[in-house]
Amino acid sequence: GEGRQASFLLRALRIAVVVCLYWFTSIAMVFLNKYLLDSPSLRLNAPIFVTFFQCALTAALCLGLSMGAACGSPCSGLPTLRLDPKVSRSVLPLSAVFIGMVTSNNLCLKYVGVAFYNVGRSLTTVFNVLLSYLLLKQTTSLYALLACGVIIGGFWLGVDQEGAEGTLSWTGTFFGILASLCVSLNAIYTKKVLPVVDGSIWRLTFYNNVNACVLFFPLMMLLGEFRTLYHFDKLGSSSFWGMMTLGGLFGFAIGYVTGLQIKFTSPLTHNVSGTAKACAQTVLAVIYFEETKSLLWWTSNLMVLGGSFAYTWVKGLEMRKVQEDPNVKSSERNDTGV
């Protein structure tokens, strides 16, 4: 019938909207952050401050929305937030990883081009495999390991090609590897810490960002960023603060949109969408920054994307097998992270 067809179309449309929303938010955020962290027209050398501002805005938005929920506004499903120092302390190990993640992410973006950014942070999957073996004693199938091999090869070739073109930043690459490690640790620690906040990702986001703000403060003093800000010529410029706020809003929205995409598709489709988005982002960056890249450079990108895609696909097949065959040992039942 017509009714079923209409509902299918509606569902397809909704998925398309969610995926587009995810792509737009994610890509816009990367380009905006690149501008804030390392734009010749802005010339602001305060990466920790930019990160701090985004965390502060996220915490404030969480609080604001939760207060709105308390007053019975549309988002009434949200839990009320209050700062419990005991919970804050329990969340601290995760916050340390979270801080490492957002900071190294932004520092990687500061030192490498947007085009290379994706390759620079491509080792997350490899760290997922490594850490689930070291921390959770989970083994990985041969095919998944081969996919990881392709990713490592792509990363290595990418670094090699950036070097050949004279655009390689070792600092950026180091922070890219660190960011990959932190993203992977973050996924593992989140599962551990969630019970402390009654399983609410919302509460966890709030605590993480508040903790981050507190810890960023001494870091900014240490790195002399307050002095940098004091001498910054656009400190009174509304367009600068507009960009900063927009960056923070996108940073806040990305968590929500990622959740939406997983909810309306599946963790697997989310990974595939993320891989495709990274590809589009790279092409856009090369066009936008008017760069010319060698064939081998593009090959490295394709290896990273292909490897990530293959890994996701292999994991998906394994999960389906586990669901169909109830006799598979529970040790093999590990869900794919982001």
Side-chain angles (χ1 to χ4, degrees), residues 70-144:
C71 305
S73 75
C75 40
S76 52
L78 299 176
T80 33
L81 297 174
R82 50 170 203 286
L83 259 184
D84 180 346
K86 207 163 86 227
V87 175
S88 202
R89 261 203 308 280
S90 322
V91 176
L92 210 54
L94 173 64
S95 295
V97 173
F98 171 77
I99 290 166
M101 180 175 81
V102 287
T103 310
S104 50
N105 222 342
N106 275 352
L107 285 169
C108 171
L109 188 54
K110 179 177 169 61
Y111 290 108
V112 307
V114 175
F116 183 65
Y117 177 60
N118 174 48
V119 173
R121 283 171 55 259
S122 61
L123 296 178
T124 298
T125 307
V126 180
F127 280 122
N128 279 345
V129 169
L130 208 61
L131 291 173
S132 33
Y133 178 70
L134 292 173
L135 299 176
L136 310 170
K137 297 285 171 279
Q138 285 169 352
T139 49
T140 307
S141 67
L142 178 66
Y143 287 117

Side-chain angles (χ1 to χ4, degrees), residues 316-334:
L317 287 179
E318 286 171 11
M319 273 175 73
R320 200 167 306 141
K321 213 158 59 194
V322 169
Q323 279 156 1
E324 282 163 12
D325 180 10
N327 308 327
V328 179
K329 345 187 269 301
S330 62
S331 73
E332 285 177 24
R333 290 172 187 248
N334 59 346

